[in-house]
Amino acid sequence: MQSTAATVDAYLAEVPADRYAALTQLRTFCRQHLVDFTESMTYGMPCYSRHGVVEVAFASQKNNIALYILRKDVLDAHRAAFAKSAIGKGCIRYSNPAKIDFAVVERLLV
């Protein structure tokens, strides 16, 4: 589900209340650790790009919060930490925001 929000602040203002804290924490980590990256609304979700290439993004989807780690080497190095999560080639899906292990997420971004 893509958003038409023009800014990340506007995007966060429209997410469901039960996901707001988790999505805000994801944004905080991205802004804290991805210092050479540009934050933008791309593909209808908050994205973080370097040299014009999106490497990290997150989104409030219909049934989950999705965290996109688009550098396969980074995701593969931490794949074992997501044994309890639905994980694909570049996307980690959390059906319950309370179950996001932010310590692991932070390690992905460092």
Coordinates of all heavy atoms in Angstrom, one line a residue, residues 32-103:
Q32 N 19.8 8.4 12.6 CA 20.9 8.4 13.5 C 22.1 7.7 12.8 O 23.2 8.1 12.9 CB 20.5 7.7 14.8 CG 21.6 7.6 15.8 CD 21.2 6.9 17.0 OE1 20.0 6.5 17.2 NE2 22.1 6.7 18.0
H33 N 21.9 6.5 12.2 CA 22.9 5.7 11.7 C 23.3 5.9 10.2 O 24.4 5.5 9.8 CB 22.6 4.2 12.0 CG 22.6 3.9 13.5 ND1 23.7 4.0 14.3 CD2 21.5 3.6 14.3 CE1 23.3 3.7 15.5 NE2 22.0 3.5 15.5
L34 N 22.3 6.3 9.4 CA 22.6 6.4 8.0 C 22.9 7.9 7.7 O 22.2 8.6 6.9 CB 21.3 6.0 7.2 CG 20.9 4.5 7.5 CD1 19.6 4.2 6.8 CD2 22.0 3.5 7.2
V35 N 24.0 8.4 8.2 CA 24.3 9.8 8.2 C 24.7 10.3 6.8 O 24.5 11.5 6.4 CB 25.5 10.2 9.1 CG1 25.0 10.0 10.6 CG2 26.7 9.3 8.9
D36 N 25.2 9.5 5.9 CA 25.5 9.9 4.5 C 24.4 9.6 3.5 O 24.6 9.6 2.3 CB 26.8 9.2 4.0 CG 28.0 9.6 4.8 OD1 28.0 10.8 5.3 OD2 28.9 8.8 5.0
F37 N 23.2 9.3 4.1 CA 22.0 9.0 3.2 C 21.1 10.1 3.2 O 21.0 11.0 4.0 CB 21.3 7.8 3.8 CG 22.1 6.5 3.7 CD1 23.3 6.2 4.4 CD2 21.6 5.4 2.9 CE1 24.0 5.1 4.3 CE2 22.3 4.2 2.8 CZ 23.5 4.1 3.5
T38 N 20.3 10.1 2.1 CA 19.2 11.1 1.9 C 17.9 10.5 2.2 O 17.6 9.4 1.7 CB 19.2 11.6 0.5 OG1 20.5 12.2 0.2 CG2 18.2 12.7 0.3
E39 N 17.1 11.1 3.1 CA 15.8 10.7 3.4 C 14.8 11.3 2.4 O 14.9 12.4 2.1 CB 15.4 11.1 4.8 CG 14.0 10.7 5.2 CD 13.6 11.2 6.6 OE1 13.3 12.4 6.7 OE2 13.6 10.4 7.6
S40 N 13.9 10.4 1.9 CA 12.9 10.9 0.9 C 11.7 10.0 1.0 O 11.7 8.9 1.6 CB 13.5 10.9 -0.5 OG 13.8 9.6 -0.9
M41 N 10.6 10.4 0.3 CA 9.5 9.6 0.1 C 9.6 9.1 -1.3 O 9.5 9.8 -2.3 CB 8.2 10.4 0.2 CG 7.8 10.7 1.7 SD 7.4 9.2 2.7 CE 6.0 8.5 1.8
T42 N 9.9 7.8 -1.5 CA 10.1 7.2 -2.8 C 9.3 5.9 -2.7 O 9.3 5.2 -1.7 CB 11.6 6.9 -3.0 OG1 12.4 8.1 -2.8 CG2 11.9 6.4 -4.4
Y43 N 8.7 5.5 -3.9 CA 7.9 4.4 -3.9 C 6.8 4.4 -2.9 O 6.3 3.3 -2.4 CB 8.7 3.1 -3.8 CG 9.9 3.0 -4.7 CD1 11.2 3.0 -4.2 CD2 9.7 2.9 -6.0 CE1 12.3 2.9 -5.0 CE2 10.8 2.8 -6.9 CZ 12.1 2.8 -6.4 OH 13.2 2.8 -7.2
G44 N 6.3 5.6 -2.5 CA 5.2 5.7 -1.5 C 5.6 5.3 -0.1 O 4.7 5.1 0.7
M45 N 6.9 5.4 0.3 CA 7.3 5.0 1.6 C 8.6 5.8 1.9 O 9.3 6.2 1.0 CB 7.5 3.5 1.8 CG 8.6 2.9 0.9 SD 8.6 1.1 1.1 CE 9.3 0.7 -0.5
P46 N 8.9 5.9 3.2 CA 10.2 6.5 3.6 C 11.4 5.7 3.1 O 11.4 4.5 3.4 CB 10.1 6.6 5.1 CG 8.7 6.5 5.4 CD 8.1 5.6 4.4
C47 N 12.3 6.3 2.4 CA 13.5 5.6 1.9 C 14.7 6.4 2.2 O 14.7 7.6 2.4 CB 13.4 5.5 0.4 SG 12.1 4.4 -0.2
Y48 N 15.8 5.7 2.3 CA 17.1 6.2 2.6 C 18.1 5.8 1.5 O 18.3 4.6 1.3 CB 17.6 5.8 4.0 CG 16.6 6.3 5.0 CD1 15.4 5.6 5.3 CD2 16.8 7.5 5.6 CE1 14.5 6.1 6.2 CE2 15.8 8.0 6.5 CZ 14.7 7.3 6.8 OH 13.7 7.8 7.6
S49 N 18.6 6.8 0.8 CA 19.4 6.5 -0.4 C 20.8 7.1 -0.2 O 21.0 8.1 0.4 CB 18.8 6.9 -1.7 OG 18.5 8.3 -1.6
R50 N 21.7 6.5 -0.9 CA 23.1 7.0 -1.0 C 23.5 6.9 -2.4 O 23.3 5.9 -3.1 CB 24.0 6.1 -0.1 CG 25.4 6.5 0.0 CD 26.2 5.8 1.0 NE 26.0 4.4 1.0 CZ 26.6 3.5 1.9 NH1 27.3 4.0 2.8 NH2 26.3 2.3 1.8
H51 N 24.1 8.0 -2.9 CA 24.5 8.1 -4.3 C 23.4 7.7 -5.3 O 23.6 7.1 -6.3 CB 25.7 7.2 -4.6 CG 26.8 7.4 -3.6 ND1 27.5 8.6 -3.5 CD2 27.4 6.5 -2.7 CE1 28.5 8.4 -2.6 NE2 28.4 7.2 -2.1
G52 N 22.1 8.1 -4.9 CA 21.0 7.9 -5.7 C 20.4 6.5 -5.7 O 19.4 6.3 -6.4
V53 N 20.9 5.7 -4.8 CA 20.4 4.3 -4.7 C 19.7 4.1 -3.4 O 20.4 4.2 -2.3 CB 21.5 3.3 -4.9 CG1 21.0 1.8 -4.8 CG2 22.2 3.5 -6.3
V54 N 18.5 3.6 -3.4 CA 17.8 3.3 -2.1 C 18.4 2.1 -1.5 O 18.5 1.0 -2.2 CB 16.3 3.2 -2.4 CG1 15.6 2.7 -1.1 CG2 15.6 4.4 -2.9
E55 N 18.8 2.2 -0.3 CA 19.3 1.0 0.4 C 18.5 0.5 1.6 O 18.5 -0.6 2.0 CB 20.8 1.3 0.9 CG 21.8 1.5 -0.2 CD 23.2 1.6 0.2 OE1 23.5 1.1 1.3 OE2 24.0 2.2 -0.5
V56 N 17.7 1.4 2.2 CA 16.9 1.1 3.3 C 15.5 1.8 3.2 O 15.5 3.0 2.7 CB 17.6 1.6 4.7 CG1 16.7 1.3 5.9 CG2 18.9 0.9 4.8
A57 N 14.5 1.2 3.6 CA 13.1 1.8 3.5 C 12.3 1.1 4.6 O 12.6 0.0 5.0 CB 12.5 1.7 2.1
F58 N 11.2 1.7 4.9 CA 10.2 1.0 5.8 C 8.8 1.5 5.3 O 8.6 2.5 4.7 CB 10.4 1.3 7.3 CG 10.4 2.7 7.7 CD1 9.2 3.4 8.0 CD2 11.6 3.4 7.8 CE1 9.2 4.7 8.4 CE2 11.6 4.8 8.2 CZ 10.4 5.4 8.5
A59 N 7.8 0.7 5.7 CA 6.4 1.0 5.3 C 5.4 0.3 6.2 O 5.7 -0.8 6.8 CB 6.2 0.5 3.9
S60 N 4.3 1.0 6.4 CA 3.2 0.4 7.1 C 2.3 -0.2 6.0 O 1.7 0.5 5.2 CB 2.4 1.5 7.8 OG 1.3 0.9 8.5
Q61 N 2.3 -1.5 5.9 CA 1.5 -2.3 4.9 C 0.2 -2.7 5.6 O 0.0 -2.5 6.7 CB 2.3 -3.5 4.5 CG 3.7 -3.2 3.9 CD 3.6 -2.5 2.5 OE1 2.6 -2.4 1.9 NE2 4.7 -2.1 2.1
K62 N -0.6 -3.3 4.8 CA -2.0 -3.7 5.2 C -1.9 -4.6 6.5 O -2.6 -4.4 7.5 CB -2.7 -4.4 4.1 CG -4.1 -4.8 4.5 CD -4.9 -5.4 3.4 CE -6.3 -5.9 3.8 NZ -7.0 -6.5 2.7
N63 N -1.0 -5.6 6.4 CA -1.0 -6.6 7.5 C 0.3 -6.6 8.3 O 0.5 -7.5 9.2 CB -1.2 -8.0 7.0 CG -2.6 -8.1 6.4 OD1 -3.6 -7.7 7.0 ND2 -2.7 -8.7 5.2
N64 N 1.2 -5.6 8.0 CA 2.5 -5.7 8.7 C 3.2 -4.4 8.6 O 2.8 -3.5 7.8 CB 3.4 -6.8 8.2 CG 3.6 -6.7 6.7 OD1 4.2 -5.8 6.3 ND2 3.2 -7.7 5.9
I65 N 4.3 -4.3 9.3 CA 5.3 -3.2 9.1 C 6.5 -3.9 8.3 O 6.9 -5.0 8.7 CB 5.9 -2.6 10.4 CG1 4.8 -1.8 11.1 CG2 7.1 -1.8 10.1 CD1 5.2 -1.3 12.4
A66 N 6.9 -3.3 7.2 CA 7.9 -3.9 6.4 C 9.2 -3.0 6.5 O 9.1 -1.8 6.4 CB 7.5 -3.9 4.9
L67 N 10.3 -3.7 6.7 CA 11.6 -3.0 6.8 C 12.4 -3.6 5.6 O 12.6 -4.8 5.5 CB 12.3 -3.3 8.1 CG 13.8 -2.8 8.2 CD1 13.8 -1.3 8.0 CD2 14.4 -3.3 9.5
Y68 N 12.8 -2.7 4.7 CA 13.5 -3.1 3.5 C 15.0 -2.8 3.7 O 15.4 -1.7 3.9 CB 13.0 -2.4 2.3 CG 11.6 -2.7 2.0 CD1 10.6 -1.9 2.5 CD2 11.2 -3.7 1.1 CE1 9.2 -2.2 2.3 CE2 9.9 -4.0 0.9 CZ 8.9 -3.2 1.4 OH 7.6 -3.5 1.2
I69 N 15.8 -3.9 3.7 CA 17.3 -3.7 3.7 C 17.7 -4.3 2.3 O 17.8 -5.5 2.1 CB 17.9 -4.6 4.9 CG1 17.3 -4.2 6.2 CG2 19.4 -4.4 4.8 CD1 17.6 -2.8 6.7
L70 N 18.0 -3.3 1.4 CA 18.2 -3.7 0.0 C 19.6 -4.1 -0.3 O 19.9 -4.4 -1.5 CB 17.6 -2.6 -0.8 CG 16.1 -2.3 -0.6 CD1 15.7 -1.1 -1.3 CD2 15.3 -3.6 -0.9
R71 N 20.5 -4.0 0.7 CA 21.9 -4.6 0.4 C 21.9 -6.0 0.9 O 21.8 -6.3 2.1 CB 22.9 -3.7 1.2 CG 23.2 -2.4 0.5 CD 24.4 -1.7 0.9 NE 25.6 -2.7 1.0 CZ 26.6 -2.5 1.8 NH1 26.6 -1.4 2.6 NH2 27.6 -3.3 1.9
K72 N 21.9 -6.9 0.0 CA 21.8 -8.3 0.3 C 22.9 -8.8 1.3 O 22.6 -9.6 2.2 CB 21.8 -9.2 -1.0 CG 21.6 -10.6 -0.8 CD 21.5 -11.3 -2.1 CE 21.3 -12.8 -2.1 NZ 21.6 -13.6 -0.9
D73 N 24.1 -8.3 1.1 CA 25.2 -8.7 2.0 C 24.9 -8.3 3.4 O 25.2 -9.1 4.3 CB 26.5 -8.1 1.5 CG 26.5 -6.6 1.5 OD1 25.5 -6.0 1.1 OD2 27.6 -6.0 1.7
V74 N 24.3 -7.2 3.7 CA 24.0 -6.8 5.0 C 22.9 -7.6 5.6 O 23.0 -8.1 6.7 CB 23.6 -5.3 5.0 CG1 23.1 -4.9 6.4 CG2 24.8 -4.4 4.6
L75 N 21.8 -7.8 4.8 CA 20.7 -8.7 5.3 C 21.2 -10.1 5.6 O 20.8 -10.7 6.6 CB 19.5 -8.6 4.4 CG 18.3 -9.3 4.8 CD1 17.8 -8.7 6.1 CD2 17.2 -9.2 3.8
D76 N 21.9 -10.7 4.6 CA 22.4 -12.0 4.8 C 23.2 -12.2 6.0 O 23.2 -13.3 6.7 CB 23.1 -12.5 3.5 CG 22.1 -12.8 2.4 OD1 20.9 -12.8 2.6 OD2 22.6 -13.0 1.3
A77 N 24.0 -11.2 6.4 CA 24.9 -11.3 7.5 C 24.1 -11.4 8.8 O 24.6 -11.9 9.8 CB 25.9 -10.1 7.6
H78 N 22.9 -10.9 8.8 CA 22.0 -10.9 10.0 C 20.8 -11.8 9.9 O 19.9 -11.7 10.8 CB 21.6 -9.4 10.3 CG 22.8 -8.6 10.6 ND1 23.5 -7.9 9.7 CD2 23.3 -8.2 11.8 CE1 24.4 -7.2 10.2 NE2 24.4 -7.4 11.5
R79 N 20.7 -12.5 8.9 CA 19.5 -13.3 8.6 C 19.1 -14.2 9.8 O 17.9 -14.4 10.1 CB 19.7 -14.1 7.3 CG 18.4 -14.7 6.7 CD 18.6 -15.3 5.4 NE 18.8 -14.3 4.3 CZ 17.8 -13.7 3.7 NH1 16.5 -14.0 4.0 NH2 18.0 -12.8 2.8
A80 N 20.0 -14.8 10.4 CA 19.7 -15.8 11.5 C 19.0 -15.1 12.7 O 18.2 -15.7 13.4 CB 21.0 -16.4 12.0
A81 N 19.2 -13.8 12.8 CA 18.5 -13.0 13.9 C 17.0 -12.8 13.7 O 16.3 -12.4 14.6 CB 19.2 -11.7 14.1
F82 N 16.6 -13.2 12.5 CA 15.2 -13.0 12.1 C 14.4 -14.3 12.0 O 13.5 -14.4 11.2 CB 15.1 -12.1 10.8 CG 15.6 -10.8 11.0 CD1 16.9 -10.5 10.5 CD2 14.9 -9.8 11.6 CE1 17.4 -9.2 10.7 CE2 15.4 -8.5 11.8 CZ 16.7 -8.2 11.3
A83 N 14.8 -15.3 12.7 CA 14.2 -16.6 12.6 C 12.7 -16.6 12.9 O 12.0 -17.4 12.3 CB 14.9 -17.6 13.5
K84 N 12.3 -15.7 13.7 CA 10.9 -15.6 14.1 C 10.1 -14.7 13.3 O 8.9 -14.5 13.5 CB 10.7 -15.2 15.6 CG 11.3 -16.3 16.5 CD 11.2 -15.8 18.0 CE 11.8 -16.9 18.9 NZ 11.7 -16.4 20.3
S85 N 10.7 -14.0 12.3 CA 10.1 -13.1 11.4 C 9.9 -13.6 10.0 O 10.7 -14.5 9.6 CB 10.9 -11.8 11.4 OG 11.1 -11.3 12.7
A86 N 8.9 -13.1 9.3 CA 8.8 -13.4 7.9 C 9.8 -12.5 7.2 O 9.8 -11.3 7.2 CB 7.4 -13.0 7.4
I87 N 10.7 -13.2 6.5 CA 11.8 -12.5 5.8 C 12.0 -13.0 4.4 O 11.9 -14.2 4.1 CB 13.1 -12.6 6.6 CG1 14.3 -11.8 6.0 CG2 13.6 -14.1 6.7 CD1 15.5 -11.7 6.9
G88 N 12.2 -12.0 3.5 CA 12.4 -12.4 2.1 C 13.8 -12.0 1.6 O 14.7 -11.9 2.5
K89 N 13.9 -11.7 0.4 CA 15.3 -11.4 -0.2 C 15.8 -10.0 0.3 O 17.0 -9.8 0.5 CB 15.2 -11.4 -1.7 CG 15.0 -12.7 -2.3 CD 15.0 -12.6 -3.8 CE 14.8 -14.0 -4.4 NZ 14.7 -13.9 -5.9
G90 N 14.9 -9.1 0.6 CA 15.3 -7.8 1.0 C 14.3 -7.2 2.0 O 14.4 -6.0 2.3
C91 N 13.3 -7.9 2.5 CA 12.2 -7.4 3.3 C 12.0 -8.2 4.5 O 11.9 -9.4 4.4 CB 11.0 -7.3 2.4 SG 9.5 -6.7 3.3
I92 N 11.9 -7.5 5.6 CA 11.6 -8.2 6.9 C 10.2 -7.7 7.3 O 9.9 -6.5 7.3 CB 12.6 -7.8 8.0 CG1 14.0 -8.1 7.6 CG2 12.2 -8.5 9.3 CD1 15.0 -7.3 8.2
R93 N 9.2 -8.6 7.5 CA 7.9 -8.2 7.8 C 7.5 -8.5 9.2 O 7.7 -9.6 9.7 CB 6.9 -8.9 6.8 CG 7.0 -8.4 5.4 CD 6.2 -9.3 4.4 NE 6.7 -10.6 4.2 CZ 7.8 -11.0 3.5 NH1 8.5 -10.0 2.8 NH2 8.2 -12.2 3.4
Y94 N 7.0 -7.5 9.9 CA 6.6 -7.7 11.3 C 5.1 -7.5 11.4 O 4.5 -6.4 11.2 CB 7.3 -6.6 12.2 CG 8.8 -6.6 12.1 CD1 9.5 -5.8 11.3 CD2 9.5 -7.5 13.0 CE1 10.9 -5.8 11.3 CE2 10.9 -7.5 13.0 CZ 11.5 -6.6 12.1 OH 12.9 -6.7 12.1
S95 N 4.4 -8.6 11.7 CA 2.9 -8.5 11.8 C 2.5 -7.8 13.1 O 1.4 -7.3 13.2 CB 2.3 -9.9 11.8 OG 2.8 -10.7 12.8
N96 N 3.4 -7.8 14.1 CA 3.1 -7.1 15.4 C 4.2 -6.2 15.7 O 5.3 -6.6 15.9 CB 3.0 -8.2 16.5 CG 2.7 -7.6 17.8 OD1 2.7 -6.4 18.1 ND2 2.3 -8.5 18.8
P97 N 3.9 -4.9 15.7 CA 5.0 -3.9 16.0 C 5.7 -4.1 17.3 O 6.9 -3.8 17.4 CB 4.2 -2.5 16.0 CG 2.9 -2.8 15.3 CD 2.6 -4.2 15.5
A98 N 5.0 -4.7 18.3 CA 5.7 -4.9 19.6 C 6.8 -6.0 19.5 O 7.6 -6.1 20.4 CB 4.6 -5.3 20.6
K99 N 6.8 -6.7 18.5 CA 7.8 -7.8 18.3 C 9.0 -7.4 17.5 O 9.9 -8.2 17.3 CB 7.1 -9.0 17.7 CG 6.1 -9.7 18.7 CD 5.6 -11.0 18.2 CE 4.7 -11.6 19.2 NZ 4.2 -12.9 18.9
I100 N 9.1 -6.2 17.2 CA 10.3 -5.7 16.4 C 11.5 -5.7 17.4 O 11.4 -5.0 18.5 CB 10.1 -4.3 15.8 CG1 9.0 -4.4 14.8 CG2 11.4 -3.8 15.2 CD1 8.6 -3.0 14.2
D101 N 12.5 -6.4 17.1 CA 13.7 -6.4 18.0 C 14.6 -5.2 17.5 O 15.4 -5.3 16.5 CB 14.5 -7.7 17.8 CG 15.6 -7.8 18.8 OD1 16.1 -6.7 19.3 OD2 16.1 -8.9 19.1
F102 N 14.5 -4.1 18.1 CA 15.1 -2.9 17.7 C 16.7 -3.0 17.8 O 17.4 -2.3 17.1 CB 14.6 -1.6 18.4 CG 13.2 -1.2 17.8 CD1 12.1 -1.4 18.5 CD2 13.1 -0.6 16.6 CE1 10.9 -1.1 18.0 CE2 11.9 -0.2 16.1 CZ 10.8 -0.5 16.8
A103 N 17.1 -3.8 18.7 CA 18.6 -4.0 18.9 C 19.1 -4.6 17.6 O 20.2 -4.2 17.1 CB 18.9 -4.8 20.1

